[in-house]
Amino acid sequence: MPGSNKEIAALIVQFLSTSTKDVQEEYVDSLNVAIDCIAEAFEIEREDSNEIVSKAYNGRGLVDLVKSGASEPTLSSSEPTGNNTDAHAPEVAERAENLKLEGNKAFAAKDFEGAVKKYTEAIELMPNNAVFYGNRAAAYSSFKKFEEAVRDAESAVRINPSYSRGYSRLGLAKYALGKPEEAMEAYKKVLDIEGDNATEAMKRDYESAKKKVEESLNLEALPKGEEQQTSEGSSAGGFPDLSSMLGGGLGGLLNNPQVMQAAQKMMQNPSAMQEMMNNPAIKQMAQNFASGGGTPNLGDMMKDPNIKDMAGKFFGQK
């Protein structure tokens, strides 16, 4: 009698589908979600479960099989039993779990390579365990092997699409690889899976990736050259780039809102104007400019603490 995972899943789906009337109304939606998840995971259609059960179990449902002491179909002597892992599933599962625990201990001791080794041994015994892949992804990320972490995290969520930690490990690795948009998508899956149970840390991970994506989009939207001006438009000390102001000549000065604002402040404060004109460096600058000496070296001028202080008063530090 056949007993594949798909047929067993169909048996469970059939049982749950006929049990909705036996649960309280408030739990019916949750039960339907569980049925849909099982059907999707094992790639069966909910409405096909009766036909699958009929063929595989001669029409006997889960309750009948349990009552008769045959909750699992038996294999005939002609059917292969599979490898030794299947033949000794409880023992293998126990060994794999112990290896995982050893890996967890190594991880806690920051022996990340040792943790990877133990998780790998566990995966070799049980290659369809999403948690083992998720743990190994975390270990890989911990010593910056992010490509390997991505592969393991993707394996984890492929095995179990509702494994939120798998998506969390995927988001971390993607973010570290400079792929914030893909990280944001992974973190969004975490929030979707966890729903109201999502922790603040999960929400922060998503917001961090989202902010990075928004920053990237904003920089891409800037006109050519403006990105550089945004980051380099201030001189040392947080003051405006005075040399760029003067580089545009008188017209550039008059069209610069910072210069015009500073001029208004000076006109409203005669004592400050007098103080500025009494500064020897300012006098020398004015004389050189008037005699055709060209634009002064503002970088050198800003080394003068008095001039730097006046610039702070009129332009304001950024």
Side-chain angles (χ1 to χ4, degrees):
M1 186 181 297
S4 68
N5 289 341
K6 183 175 290 190
E7 290 162 348
I8 295 172
L11 189 67
I12 296 171
V13 168
Q14 182 199 53
F15 169 73
L16 294 178
S17 297
T18 58
S19 300
T20 54
K21 61 183 181 297
D22 299 324
V23 300
Q24 297 181 29
E25 185 177 354
E26 59 186 293
Y27 298 121
V28 170
D29 288 341
S30 298
L31 186 58
N32 282 322
V33 169
I35 294 170
D36 290 338
C37 289
I38 294 172
E40 182 178 355
F42 289 92
E43 299 179 347
I44 61 176
E45 295 295 333
R46 181 172 178 173
E47 55 271 20
D48 293 340
S49 60
N50 288 335
E51 181 180 352
I52 295 172
V53 169
S54 178
K55 290 180 179 179
Y57 300 95
N58 297 321
R60 302 173 70 190
L62 181 60
V63 174
D64 290 338
L65 290 171
V66 171
K67 286 180 178 179
S68 65
S71 58
E72 293 181 3
T74 57
L75 293 171
S76 68
S77 57
S78 63
E79 291 178 308
T81 58
N83 55 34
N84 291 333
T85 298
D86 294 329
H88 305 285
E91 294 85 350
V92 171
E94 183 177 358
R95 282 170 53 201
E97 183 66 20
N98 288 335
L99 286 167
K100 185 200 77 172
L101 294 176
E102 291 178 23
N104 291 351
K105 290 179 181 178
F107 188 95
K110 299 189 184 303
D111 178 13
F112 303 122
E113 293 188 26
V116 165
K117 181 180 178 182
K118 292 299 181 182
Y119 295 141
T120 300
E121 292 177 18
I123 289 170
E124 289 172 353
L125 291 176
M126 297 186 67
N128 291 320
N129 189 300
V131 174
F132 296 167
Y133 283 102
N135 285 10
R136 193 169 69 173
Y140 274 132
S141 287
S142 295
F143 63 103
K144 304 188 185 308
K145 288 198 172 185
F146 299 114
E147 295 286 358
E148 290 86 345
V150 166
R151 285 197 292 271
D152 271 358
E154 288 176 339
S155 295
V157 299
R158 185 165 53 249
I159 293 169
N160 183 359
S162 62
Y163 181 43
S164 63
R165 283 192 179 183
Y167 285 106
S168 180
R169 278 33 184 298
L170 181 61
L172 173 64
K174 289 286 191 180
Y175 191 90
L177 289 171
K179 300 177 180 179
E181 187 170 350
E182 294 179 29
M184 184 179 73
E185 291 175 0
Y187 286 136
K188 180 64 166 58
K189 289 289 292 185
V190 175
L191 298 182
D192 291 342
I193 292 169
E194 293 295 333
D196 294 337
N197 296 320
T199 65
E200 289 302 316
M202 293 173 182
K203 296 174 183 177
R204 282 196 301 272
D205 288 340
Y206 172 75
E207 290 299 329
S208 296
K210 181 181 177 183
K211 182 178 180 182
K212 196 73 173 178
V213 170
E214 290 173 347
E215 289 175 355
S216 300
L217 293 175
N218 288 337
L219 288 176
E220 291 173 3
L222 287 174
K224 187 176 181 180
E226 191 171 326
E227 177 183 344
Q228 182 176 359
Q229 293 177 9
T230 301
S231 59
E232 300 178 358
S234 296
S235 62
F239 298 111
D241 187 353
L242 299 179
S243 60
S244 66
M245 292 178 183
L246 290 176
L250 182 59
L253 286 174
L254 295 177
N255 288 325
N256 191 294
Q258 288 180 288
V259 173
M260 296 307 295
Q261 183 180 10
Q264 291 174 1
K265 287 185 179 179
M266 291 187 345
M267 294 299 292
Q268 295 168 1
N269 191 345
S271 61
M273 173 75 81
Q274 186 62 41
E275 177 186 351
M276 185 182 73
M277 295 309 298
N278 287 335
N279 185 283
I282 296 291
K283 286 184 178 180
Q284 185 64 42
M285 178 195 74
Q287 291 172 3
N288 289 342
F289 193 80
S291 62
T295 302
N297 188 324
L298 295 176
D300 291 339
M301 286 180 57
M302 290 305 294
K303 295 178 182 178
D304 186 318
N306 294 324
I307 295 178
K308 191 173 182 179
D309 181 60
M310 281 189 292
K313 290 178 180 177
F314 291 115
F315 291 98
Q317 289 196 4
K318 291 184 180 180

